[in-house]
Each structure stands twice: as structure tokens, then as C-alpha cells.
Coordinates of all heavy atoms in Angstrom, one line a residue:
M1 N -33.3 75.9 6.0 CA -32.8 75.4 4.7 C -33.0 76.5 3.6 O -34.0 77.1 3.5 CB -33.6 74.2 4.3 CG -33.0 73.4 3.2 SD -33.9 71.8 3.1 CE -33.7 71.5 1.4
E2 N -31.9 76.7 2.9 CA -31.9 77.8 1.9 C -32.4 77.2 0.6 O -32.0 76.1 0.2 CB -30.5 78.3 1.7 CG -30.4 79.6 1.0 CD -29.0 80.2 1.1 OE1 -28.4 80.2 2.1 OE2 -28.6 80.6 0.0
R3 N -33.3 78.0 -0.1 CA -33.8 77.5 -1.4 C -32.7 77.7 -2.5 O -31.9 78.6 -2.4 CB -35.0 78.4 -1.8 CG -36.3 78.0 -1.3 CD -37.3 78.9 -1.9 NE -38.6 78.4 -1.6 CZ -39.8 78.8 -2.1 NH1 -39.8 79.9 -2.9 NH2 -40.9 78.3 -1.7
K4 N -32.8 76.8 -3.5 CA -31.9 76.9 -4.6 C -32.4 78.1 -5.4 O -33.6 78.6 -5.3 CB -32.0 75.7 -5.5 CG -31.4 74.5 -4.8 CD -31.4 73.3 -5.7 CE -30.7 72.1 -5.0 NZ -30.7 70.9 -5.9
E5 N -31.6 78.6 -6.3 CA -32.0 79.8 -7.1 C -33.2 79.4 -8.0 O -33.4 78.2 -8.4 CB -30.9 80.3 -8.0 CG -30.5 79.3 -9.1 CD -29.4 79.8 -10.0 OE1 -28.3 79.9 -9.5 OE2 -29.7 80.2 -11.2
S6 N -34.1 80.4 -8.2 CA -35.3 80.1 -9.0 C -35.0 80.0 -10.5 O -34.2 80.7 -11.1 CB -36.3 81.3 -8.8 OG -36.7 81.3 -7.5
T7 N -35.7 79.0 -11.0 CA -35.7 78.8 -12.5 C -37.1 78.7 -12.9 O -38.0 78.4 -12.0 CB -34.9 77.5 -12.9 OG1 -35.6 76.4 -12.4 CG2 -33.5 77.6 -12.4
P8 N -37.5 78.8 -14.1 CA -38.9 78.6 -14.5 C -39.5 77.3 -14.1 O -40.6 77.2 -13.6 CB -38.9 78.8 -16.0 CG -37.7 79.7 -16.3 CD -36.7 79.3 -15.2
E9 N -38.6 76.2 -14.2 CA -39.1 74.9 -13.9 C -39.3 74.8 -12.3 O -40.3 74.2 -11.9 CB -38.0 73.9 -14.3 CG -38.4 72.4 -14.0 CD -39.6 71.9 -14.8 OE1 -40.0 72.5 -15.8 OE2 -40.1 70.8 -14.4
R10 N -38.4 75.3 -11.6 CA -38.5 75.2 -10.1 C -39.8 76.0 -9.6 O -40.5 75.6 -8.7 CB -37.3 75.7 -9.4 CG -36.2 74.8 -9.5 CD -35.0 75.2 -8.6 NE -33.9 74.2 -8.7 CZ -32.7 74.5 -9.0 NH1 -32.3 75.7 -9.2 NH2 -31.8 73.5 -9.1
E11 N -40.0 77.2 -10.2 CA -41.1 78.0 -9.9 C -42.4 77.3 -10.2 O -43.4 77.3 -9.5 CB -41.1 79.4 -10.6 CG -40.1 80.3 -10.1 CD -40.3 80.7 -8.6 OE1 -41.5 80.8 -8.2 OE2 -39.3 80.9 -7.9
R12 N -42.4 76.6 -11.4 CA -43.6 75.8 -11.8 C -43.9 74.7 -10.8 O -45.0 74.5 -10.3 CB -43.4 75.3 -13.2 CG -44.7 74.5 -13.7 CD -44.4 73.8 -15.0 NE -43.4 72.8 -14.9 CZ -43.6 71.6 -14.3 NH1 -44.8 71.3 -13.8 NH2 -42.7 70.6 -14.3
K13 N -42.9 74.0 -10.4 CA -43.0 72.9 -9.4 C -43.5 73.5 -8.0 O -44.3 72.9 -7.4 CB -41.7 72.1 -9.2 CG -41.4 71.2 -10.4 CD -40.2 70.5 -10.2 CE -39.9 69.6 -11.4 NZ -38.7 68.7 -11.2
R14 N -42.9 74.6 -7.6 CA -43.3 75.2 -6.3 C -44.8 75.6 -6.3 O -45.5 75.3 -5.4 CB -42.4 76.4 -6.0 CG -41.0 76.0 -5.6 CD -40.2 77.2 -5.3 NE -38.8 76.9 -5.1 CZ -37.7 77.6 -5.5 NH1 -37.9 78.8 -6.1 NH2 -36.5 77.2 -5.3
T15 N -45.2 76.2 -7.4 CA -46.6 76.6 -7.5 C -47.5 75.4 -7.5 O -48.5 75.4 -6.8 CB -46.8 77.4 -8.9 OG1 -45.9 78.5 -8.9 CG2 -48.2 77.8 -9.0
Y16 N -47.1 74.3 -8.2 CA -47.9 73.1 -8.3 C -48.0 72.5 -6.9 O -49.1 72.1 -6.4 CB -47.3 72.1 -9.3 CG -48.1 70.8 -9.3 CD1 -49.2 70.6 -10.2 CD2 -47.7 69.7 -8.5 CE1 -49.9 69.5 -10.2 CE2 -48.4 68.6 -8.5 CZ -49.5 68.4 -9.4 OH -50.2 67.3 -9.4
E17 N -46.9 72.4 -6.2 CA -46.8 71.7 -4.9 C -47.7 72.5 -3.9 O -48.4 71.9 -3.1 CB -45.4 71.6 -4.4 CG -44.6 70.6 -5.2 CD -45.1 69.2 -5.1 OE1 -45.5 68.8 -4.0 OE2 -45.1 68.5 -6.1
E18 N -47.6 73.8 -3.9 CA -48.4 74.7 -3.0 C -49.9 74.5 -3.3 O -50.7 74.4 -2.4 CB -47.9 76.1 -3.1 CG -48.5 77.0 -2.1 CD -48.2 76.6 -0.6 OE1 -47.1 76.2 -0.4 OE2 -49.1 76.7 0.2
K19 N -50.2 74.5 -4.5 CA -51.6 74.4 -4.9 C -52.2 73.1 -4.5 O -53.4 73.0 -4.2 CB -51.7 74.6 -6.5 CG -53.2 74.7 -7.0 CD -53.2 74.8 -8.5 CE -52.9 76.2 -8.9 NZ -53.1 76.3 -10.4
H20 N -51.5 72.0 -4.6 CA -52.0 70.6 -4.4 C -51.6 70.1 -3.0 O -51.9 68.9 -2.7 CB -51.5 69.7 -5.5 CG -52.1 70.0 -6.8 ND1 -51.5 70.9 -7.6 CD2 -53.3 69.7 -7.4 CE1 -52.2 71.0 -8.7 NE2 -53.3 70.3 -8.6
K21 N -51.1 70.9 -2.1 CA -50.6 70.5 -0.8 C -51.8 69.8 0.0 O -51.6 68.7 0.6 CB -50.0 71.7 -0.1 CG -49.5 71.4 1.3 CD -48.9 72.6 1.9 CE -48.2 72.4 3.2 NZ -47.6 73.7 3.7
D22 N -52.9 70.5 0.1 CA -54.0 70.0 0.9 C -54.6 68.7 0.3 O -54.9 67.8 1.1 CB -55.1 71.0 1.0 CG -54.7 72.2 1.9 OD1 -53.8 72.1 2.7 OD2 -55.2 73.4 1.6
E23 N -54.6 68.6 -1.0 CA -55.1 67.4 -1.6 C -54.2 66.2 -1.3 O -54.7 65.1 -1.0 CB -55.1 67.7 -3.2 CG -55.6 66.6 -4.0 CD -55.5 66.9 -5.5 OE1 -55.7 68.1 -5.9 OE2 -55.2 66.0 -6.3
R24 N -52.9 66.4 -1.3 CA -52.0 65.3 -1.0 C -52.1 64.9 0.4 O -52.1 63.7 0.8 CB -50.5 65.8 -1.3 CG -50.2 65.7 -2.7 CD -48.7 65.8 -2.9 NE -48.0 66.8 -2.0 CZ -47.9 68.1 -2.2 NH1 -48.5 68.6 -3.3 NH2 -47.3 68.9 -1.4
K25 N -52.2 65.9 1.3 CA -52.4 65.6 2.8 C -53.6 64.8 3.0 O -53.7 63.9 3.9 CB -52.4 66.9 3.6 CG -51.0 67.4 3.9 CD -51.2 68.7 4.7 CE -50.0 68.8 5.7 NZ -50.1 69.9 6.6
A26 N -54.7 65.1 2.3 CA -56.0 64.4 2.5 C -55.9 63.0 2.0 O -56.6 62.1 2.5 CB -57.1 65.2 1.9
K27 N -55.1 62.8 1.0 CA -55.0 61.5 0.3 C -54.1 60.5 1.0 O -54.4 59.3 1.1 CB -54.6 61.7 -1.1 CG -54.6 60.4 -1.9 CD -54.1 60.7 -3.4 CE -54.0 59.4 -4.1 NZ -53.4 59.6 -5.4
C28 N -53.0 60.9 1.4 CA -51.9 60.0 2.0 C -51.4 60.5 3.3 O -51.5 61.7 3.6 CB -50.7 60.0 1.0 SG -51.2 59.3 -0.6
K29 N -50.9 59.6 4.1 CA -50.3 59.9 5.4 C -48.9 59.3 5.4 O -48.6 58.2 5.0 CB -51.1 59.3 6.5 CG -50.5 59.6 7.8 CD -51.4 59.4 9.0 CE -50.8 59.8 10.3 NZ -51.6 60.8 10.9
I30 N -47.9 60.1 5.9 CA -46.5 59.6 6.0 C -46.2 59.5 7.5 O -46.5 60.4 8.3 CB -45.6 60.7 5.4 CG1 -45.8 60.8 3.9 CG2 -44.1 60.3 5.7 CD1 -45.0 61.9 3.2
W31 N -45.7 58.3 7.9 CA -45.3 58.1 9.3 C -43.8 58.2 9.3 O -43.1 57.5 8.7 CB -45.7 56.7 9.7 CG -47.2 56.5 9.9 CD1 -48.0 57.3 10.5 CD2 -48.0 55.4 9.4 NE1 -49.3 56.8 10.5 CE2 -49.3 55.6 9.8 CE3 -47.7 54.2 8.7 CZ2 -50.3 54.7 9.5 CZ3 -48.7 53.4 8.4 CH2 -50.0 53.6 8.8
G32 N -43.4 59.1 10.2 CA -41.9 59.3 10.4 C -41.5 58.3 11.5 O -41.8 58.6 12.7
T33 N -40.9 57.2 11.2 CA -40.6 56.3 12.2 C -39.2 55.7 11.9 O -38.7 55.9 10.8 CB -41.6 55.1 12.2 OG1 -41.3 54.2 13.3 CG2 -41.6 54.3 10.9
S34 N -38.6 55.1 12.9 CA -37.2 54.6 12.7 C -37.2 53.1 13.1 O -37.9 52.6 14.0 CB -36.2 55.3 13.6 OG -36.1 56.6 13.3
V35 N -36.4 52.3 12.4 CA -36.2 50.9 12.6 C -34.7 50.7 12.7 O -33.9 51.3 12.0 CB -36.8 50.1 11.5 CG1 -36.5 48.6 11.7 CG2 -38.2 50.4 11.3
D36 N -34.3 49.8 13.6 CA -32.9 49.4 13.7 C -32.3 49.1 12.3 O -32.9 48.4 11.5 CB -32.7 48.2 14.6 CG -31.3 47.8 14.8 OD1 -30.5 48.5 15.4 OD2 -31.0 46.7 14.3
R37 N -31.1 49.6 12.0 CA -30.5 49.5 10.7 C -30.4 48.0 10.2 O -30.7 47.7 9.1 CB -29.1 50.1 10.7 CG -28.3 49.9 9.4 CD -29.0 50.4 8.2 NE -29.0 51.9 8.2 CZ -29.5 52.6 7.2 NH1 -30.0 52.1 6.1 NH2 -29.5 53.9 7.3
K38 N -30.0 47.1 11.1 CA -29.8 45.7 10.8 C -31.1 45.1 10.4 O -31.2 44.4 9.4 CB -29.2 44.9 12.0 CG -28.8 43.5 11.6 CD -28.1 42.9 12.8 CE -27.8 41.4 12.5 NZ -27.2 40.7 13.7
L39 N -32.2 45.4 11.1 CA -33.5 44.8 10.8 C -34.0 45.5 9.5 O -34.6 44.8 8.7 CB -34.5 45.1 12.0 CG -35.9 44.7 11.7 CD1 -36.0 43.2 11.5 CD2 -36.8 45.1 12.9
A40 N -33.8 46.8 9.4 CA -34.3 47.4 8.1 C -33.6 46.9 6.9 O -34.3 46.6 5.9 CB -34.0 48.9 8.2
D41 N -32.3 46.6 7.0 CA -31.6 46.0 5.9 C -32.1 44.6 5.5 O -32.3 44.3 4.4 CB -30.1 46.0 6.1 CG -29.4 47.4 6.1 OD1 -30.1 48.3 5.6 OD2 -28.3 47.5 6.6
E42 N -32.4 43.8 6.6 CA -32.9 42.5 6.4 C -34.3 42.6 5.7 O -34.6 41.8 4.8 CB -33.0 41.8 7.7 CG -33.5 40.3 7.6 CD -33.6 39.7 9.0 OE1 -33.0 40.2 10.0 OE2 -34.2 38.6 9.1
I43 N -35.1 43.5 6.2 CA -36.5 43.6 5.6 C -36.4 44.1 4.2 O -37.0 43.5 3.3 CB -37.3 44.7 6.4 CG1 -37.6 44.1 7.8 CG2 -38.6 45.1 5.7 CD1 -38.2 45.1 8.8
D44 N -35.5 45.1 3.9 CA -35.4 45.6 2.5 C -34.9 44.4 1.6 O -35.4 44.3 0.4 CB -34.4 46.7 2.5 CG -35.0 48.0 3.0 OD1 -36.2 48.1 3.1 OD2 -34.2 48.9 3.3
E45 N -34.0 43.6 2.0 CA -33.4 42.5 1.2 C -34.6 41.5 0.9 O -34.7 41.1 -0.2 CB -32.3 41.8 2.0 CG -31.6 40.7 1.2 CD -30.5 40.1 1.9 OE1 -29.7 40.9 2.6 OE2 -30.4 38.9 1.9
F46 N -35.3 41.2 1.9 CA -36.5 40.2 1.8 C -37.5 40.8 0.8 O -37.9 40.1 -0.1 CB -37.1 40.0 3.1 CG -38.3 39.0 3.0 CD1 -38.1 37.7 3.0 CD2 -39.6 39.5 3.0 CE1 -39.2 36.8 3.0 CE2 -40.7 38.7 2.9 CZ -40.5 37.3 2.9
L47 N -37.8 42.1 1.0 CA -38.9 42.7 0.1 C -38.4 42.7 -1.3 O -39.1 42.4 -2.3 CB -39.2 44.1 0.6 CG -39.9 44.1 2.0 CD1 -40.1 45.6 2.4 CD2 -41.1 43.3 2.0
A48 N -37.1 43.1 -1.6 CA -36.6 43.2 -2.9 C -36.6 41.8 -3.6 O -36.9 41.6 -4.7 CB -35.2 43.8 -2.9
K49 N -36.2 40.8 -2.8 CA -36.1 39.4 -3.3 C -37.4 38.9 -3.8 O -37.6 38.2 -4.8 CB -35.5 38.5 -2.2 CG -35.4 37.0 -2.6 CD -34.9 36.2 -1.4 CE -34.9 34.7 -1.7 NZ -34.4 33.9 -0.6
H50 N -38.5 39.2 -3.0 CA -39.8 38.7 -3.3 C -40.7 39.8 -4.0 O -41.9 39.5 -4.2 CB -40.5 38.3 -2.0 CG -39.8 37.1 -1.4 ND1 -39.9 35.8 -1.9 CD2 -39.0 37.1 -0.3 CE1 -39.1 35.0 -1.1 NE2 -38.6 35.8 -0.2
K51 N -40.1 40.9 -4.4 CA -40.8 42.0 -5.1 C -42.1 42.4 -4.4 O -43.2 42.5 -4.9 CB -41.1 41.6 -6.5 CG -39.8 41.3 -7.3 CD -40.1 41.0 -8.7 CE -38.8 40.7 -9.4 NZ -38.9 40.0 -10.6
I52 N -41.9 42.7 -3.1 CA -43.0 43.1 -2.2 C -42.8 44.6 -1.8 O -41.7 45.0 -1.5 CB -43.1 42.3 -0.9 CG1 -43.3 40.8 -1.3 CG2 -44.2 42.8 0.0 CD1 -43.1 39.9 -0.1
T53 N -43.9 45.4 -1.9 CA -43.7 46.8 -1.5 C -43.9 46.9 0.0 O -44.5 46.1 0.7 CB -44.8 47.7 -2.2 OG1 -46.1 47.3 -1.7 CG2 -44.7 47.5 -3.7
K54 N -43.4 48.0 0.5 CA -43.6 48.3 2.0 C -45.0 48.6 2.3 O -45.5 48.3 3.4 CB -42.7 49.5 2.4 CG -41.2 49.2 2.3 CD -40.3 50.4 2.6 CE -38.9 50.0 2.4 NZ -38.0 51.1 2.4
V55 N -45.8 49.1 1.4 CA -47.2 49.3 1.6 C -47.9 48.0 1.7 O -48.8 47.8 2.6 CB -47.8 50.1 0.4 CG1 -49.3 50.2 0.5 CG2 -47.2 51.5 0.4
A56 N -47.5 47.0 0.9 CA -48.1 45.6 1.1 C -47.8 45.1 2.4 O -48.6 44.4 3.0 CB -47.6 44.7 0.0
V57 N -46.6 45.3 3.0 CA -46.2 44.8 4.3 C -47.1 45.4 5.3 O -47.6 44.7 6.2 CB -44.7 45.1 4.6 CG1 -44.4 44.8 6.0 CG2 -43.8 44.3 3.7
I58 N -47.3 46.7 5.3 CA -48.1 47.4 6.3 C -49.5 46.9 6.2 O -50.2 46.7 7.2 CB -48.0 49.0 6.0 CG1 -46.6 49.5 6.4 CG2 -49.1 49.7 6.9 CD1 -46.4 50.9 5.9
T59 N -50.1 46.8 5.0 CA -51.4 46.3 4.8 C -51.6 44.9 5.3 O -52.6 44.6 6.1 CB -51.8 46.4 3.3 OG1 -51.6 47.8 2.9 CG2 -53.3 46.0 3.1
A60 N -50.7 44.0 5.0 CA -50.8 42.6 5.5 C -50.6 42.6 7.0 O -51.4 41.8 7.6 CB -49.7 41.8 4.8
G61 N -49.7 43.3 7.5 CA -49.5 43.3 9.0 C -50.7 43.9 9.7 O -51.1 43.3 10.7
F62 N -51.3 44.9 9.1 CA -52.6 45.5 9.8 C -53.7 44.4 9.7 O -54.4 44.2 10.7 CB -53.0 46.7 9.0 CG -54.2 47.3 9.5 CD1 -54.3 47.8 10.9 CD2 -55.3 47.5 8.7 CE1 -55.5 48.3 11.3 CE2 -56.5 48.0 9.2 CZ -56.6 48.4 10.5
Q63 N -53.9 43.8 8.6 CA -54.9 42.7 8.5 C -54.7 41.6 9.5 O -55.6 41.1 10.2 CB -55.0 42.2 7.1 CG -55.5 43.1 6.1 CD -57.0 43.6 6.4 OE1 -57.8 42.8 6.9 NE2 -57.2 44.9 6.1
A64 N -53.4 41.2 9.6 CA -53.1 40.1 10.6 C -53.4 40.5 12.0 O -53.9 39.8 12.8 CB -51.6 39.7 10.5
L65 N -53.0 41.8 12.4 CA -53.3 42.3 13.7 C -54.8 42.4 14.0 O -55.3 42.1 15.1 CB -52.6 43.6 13.9 CG -51.1 43.6 14.1 CD1 -50.5 45.0 14.1 CD2 -50.8 42.9 15.4
K66 N -55.6 42.9 13.0 CA -57.0 43.0 13.1 C -57.6 41.6 13.4 O -58.5 41.5 14.3 CB -57.7 43.6 11.8 CG -57.6 45.1 11.8 CD -58.2 45.6 10.5 CE -59.7 45.3 10.4 NZ -60.3 46.0 9.3
E67 N -57.2 40.6 12.7 CA -57.7 39.2 12.9 C -57.3 38.7 14.3 O -58.0 38.0 14.9 CB -57.2 38.3 11.8 CG -57.8 38.6 10.4 CD -57.2 37.8 9.3 OE1 -56.4 36.8 9.6 OE2 -57.5 38.1 8.1
Q68 N -56.1 39.1 14.7 CA -55.6 38.6 16.0 C -56.4 39.3 17.1 O -56.8 38.6 18.1 CB -54.1 39.0 16.2 CG -53.5 38.6 17.5 CD -52.1 39.0 17.6 OE1 -51.4 39.2 16.6 NE2 -51.6 39.1 18.8
F69 N -56.7 40.6 17.0 CA -57.4 41.3 18.1 C -58.9 41.4 18.0 O -59.6 41.7 18.9 CB -56.8 42.7 18.2 CG -55.4 42.7 18.8 CD1 -54.3 42.7 18.0 CD2 -55.2 42.7 20.2 CE1 -53.0 42.7 18.5 CE2 -53.9 42.7 20.7 CZ -52.8 42.7 19.9
E70 N -59.4 41.1 16.8 CA -60.9 41.2 16.5 C -61.3 40.0 15.8 O -61.9 40.1 14.7 CB -61.2 42.5 15.8 CG -60.8 43.7 16.4 CD -60.9 45.0 15.6 OE1 -61.3 44.9 14.4 OE2 -60.7 46.1 16.1
P71 N -61.2 38.8 16.3 CA -61.5 37.5 15.6 C -63.0 37.4 15.3 O -63.4 36.7 14.4 CB -61.0 36.4 16.5 CG -60.9 37.0 17.8 CD -60.6 38.5 17.6
D72 N -63.8 38.0 16.1 CA -65.3 37.9 15.9 C -65.9 38.7 14.8 O -67.0 38.5 14.4 CB -66.0 38.3 17.2 CG -65.6 37.5 18.4 OD1 -65.2 36.3 18.2 OD2 -65.6 38.0 19.5
D73 N -65.1 39.6 14.2 CA -65.6 40.4 13.1 C -65.5 39.8 11.7 O -65.7 40.5 10.7 CB -64.8 41.8 13.1 CG -65.1 42.6 14.3 OD1 -66.1 42.3 15.0 OD2 -64.4 43.6 14.5
K74 N -65.3 38.5 11.6 CA -65.1 37.9 10.3 C -66.5 37.6 9.7 O -67.4 37.3 10.1 CB -64.4 36.6 10.4 CG -62.9 36.8 10.7 CD -62.2 35.5 10.8 CE -60.7 35.7 11.1 NZ -60.0 34.5 11.2

């Protein structure tokens, strides 16, 4: 991928991103995953209707799975 021409603003952003790269990696994780388009559209519509974030879905799903597989840890 070819970089766009350098401008003072782009250089500033590149410097910032490079400087804070490790900090961001330590703080957050990105999962590269795919979902069937029809299901993804249905999920997006539901989340928008109820003003729920995808992070909330992951967190709630994880909690439900923990309770399902580790019921004694309550």
C-alpha cells in the first residue's frame, strides 16, 4: 500500500501513532473475524434499535458462557 504524500498533519499523526503503538496494543485487542452478511445485518439492526454496543454484546455473551460452563464459581 502506497502512502499518501506527507503533510505536517500526516507526519504528526504518523509520529504519534508510532510512539503509542505498544501502549495501544497492550490496552486493546482486535479480533479479525467474519460473520455471514445476513446475520451481521440482523445483529447491526438489533443493536442500533436498542442502542447496544458490540462491546456490550461480547461482554454479555462472555458472562453467559462463563455461567454456563462454570456454574460453581458464583
Side-chain angles (χ1 to χ4, degrees):
M1 188 169 155
E2 196 172 313
R3 275 187 170 184
K4 293 183 179 180
E5 69 178 72
S6 292
T7 64
E9 181 69 13
R10 285 189 181 129
E11 287 298 325
R12 185 187 63 74
K13 286 181 180 183
R14 288 178 188 145
T15 302
Y16 178 88
E17 292 298 319
E18 188 60 39
K19 187 183 282 187
H20 294 90
K21 183 178 182 178
D22 293 333
E23 181 182 326
R24 282 193 320 277
K25 278 183 148 184
K27 183 180 176 188
C28 298
K29 180 165 182 120
I30 297 173
W31 289 314
T33 187
S34 296
V35 177
D36 179 67
R37 173 60 69 179
K38 187 176 177 182
L39 176 60
D41 290 343
E42 183 180 347
I43 292 169
D44 286 343
E45 184 179 320
F46 179 85
L47 296 179
K49 178 180 175 184
H50 297 285
K51 297 181 180 164
I52 301 169
T53 66
K54 290 175 185 169
V55 172
V57 171
I58 292 169
T59 303
F62 176 62
Q63 289 301 323
L65 286 171
K66 278 179 64 175
E67 290 173 10
Q68 179 181 342
F69 288 95
E70 301 173 354
D72 300 329
D73 291 346
K74 290 183 179 178

